[in-house]
Amino acid sequence: DTGVSQDPRHKITKRGQNVTFRCDPISEHNRLYWYRQTLGQGPEFLTYFQNEAQLEKSRLLSDRFSAERPKGSFSTLEIQRTEQGDSAMYLCASSLFSGPSSYEQYFGPGTRLTVT
Amino acid sequence: GENVEQHPSTLSVQEGDSAVIKCTYSDSASNYFPWYKQELGKRPQLIIDIRSNVGEKKDQRIAVTLNKTAKHFSLHITETQPEDSAVYFCAASINNAGNMLTFGGGTRLMVKP
């Protein structure tokens, strides 16, 4: 499968624990996005990278959230001191930015986080 | 920031009928409008998109129209089939400013055989 992959697919954790998710984009894609989706809602933008640079962060991304893309390939999203409100599907998407254009974003299968 | 409203939230049609889903956006700078289909427990899949320099785009049974003046865009599915049943999301972005997508709330489409 040459699409976007995410690991783990499911994570159950206790409130207060730290969790880390991984996203592997489509290999030639230089842009990587993180979104969060709660049940019955559309995805909400969290942050995005172009190569290894984090270029934008949503106000939804509290100080407990941090994301990295150290070598411009895979990315990690860490949530510290998880809260029940963090329970959601965390989606990663990638796209190819070429010159002034960056259009189609392709999504991974997501990591479903449940905080108990 | 951008706000995208999507209607209806649920839509039930008979197999073979057409389905129309409508979205409005608030930021006149938005210039890219994709539509995603999400089946239960699966990833959102891009099914069609439109850029602000065109008014309509078709791909087999699916078409999207864009009215920049009114700031609304619509998805049209003709000859619906049971496998079209899913949740559909519209989205908007400013392509030359990071292309961060703002999604609508989704439409659950049910196609009855």
Side-chain angles (χ1 to χ4, degrees):
Chain A
D1 187 356
T2 56
V4 179
S5 61
Q6 292 185 245
D7 184 71
R9 297 291 306 277
H10 303 273
K11 178 72 177 178
I12 299 174
T13 191
K14 292 186 177 180
R15 187 180 55 177
Q17 297 294 305
N18 299 343
V19 294
T20 300
F21 312 140
R22 175 178 170 128
C23 170
D24 287 87
I26 294 170
S27 60
E28 64 269 25
H29 284 185
N30 50 10
R31 279 192 172 173
L32 187 150
Y33 300 80
W34 285 98
Y35 293 85
R36 181 171 67 190
Q37 185 177 29
T38 52
L39 203 61
Q41 302 296 318
E44 294 176 297
F45 168 76
L46 294 178
T47 189
Y48 92 95
F49 294 83
Q50 182 167 313
N51 300 313
E52 64 275 8
Q54 188 174 19
L55 296 186
E56 187 78 24
K57 289 194 290 187
S58 164
R59 56 181 171 78
L60 293 176
L61 211 67
S62 78
D63 291 344
R64 297 184 297 105
F65 287 69
S66 62
E68 293 183 339
R69 195 182 183 199
K71 296 182 180 179
S73 56
F74 73 91
S75 174
T76 58
L77 178 68
E78 180 183 18
I79 308 174
Q80 296 183 325
R81 305 181 302 281
T82 52
E83 301 172 357
Q84 288 190 321
D86 297 332
S87 296
M89 176 75 84
Y90 290 84
L91 292 163
C92 174
S94 71
S95 72
L96 178 63
F97 175 72
S98 174
S101 300
S102 170
Y103 290 103
E104 298 86 358
Q105 292 185 28
Y106 297 95
F107 281 83
T111 295
R112 181 167 296 283
L113 172 66
T114 302
V115 182
T116 62
Chain B
E2 176 68 280
N3 183 51
V4 178
E5 300 282 342
Q6 183 171 347
H7 300 280
S9 56
T10 59
L11 180 59
S12 181
V13 300
Q14 286 293 138
E15 181 178 359
D17 287 351
S18 295
V20 180
I21 302 170
K22 299 182 179 181
C23 289
T24 59
Y25 61 98
S26 61
D27 191 341
S28 56
S30 290
N31 57 4
Y32 176 61
F33 308 92
W35 286 86
Y36 286 84
K37 175 184 180 182
Q38 189 174 30
E39 296 176 75
L40 191 61
K42 298 197 174 179
R43 72 186 74 193
Q45 285 188 299
L46 179 66
I47 56 171
I48 196 168
D49 58 11
I50 192 167
R51 304 173 193 183
S52 61
N53 58 347
V54 298
E56 184 176 2
K57 183 177 178 181
K58 283 186 179 180
D59 183 4
Q60 300 182 336
R61 296 186 296 110
I62 294 174
V64 58
T65 58
L66 171 65
N67 183 327
K68 287 188 294 182
T69 303
K71 290 190 281 188
H72 67 71
F73 56 113
S74 301
L75 177 71
H76 304 252
I77 306 174
T78 59
E79 301 172 17
T80 54
Q81 301 167 2
E83 51 266 38
D84 293 330
S85 296
V87 179
Y88 291 80
F89 292 99
C90 62
S93 70
I94 303 173
N95 177 256
N96 55 349
N99 203 31
M100 297 85 75
L101 297 174
T102 300
F103 285 83
T107 297
R108 179 172 299 280
L109 174 64
M110 294 169 284
V111 181
K112 295 180 286 187

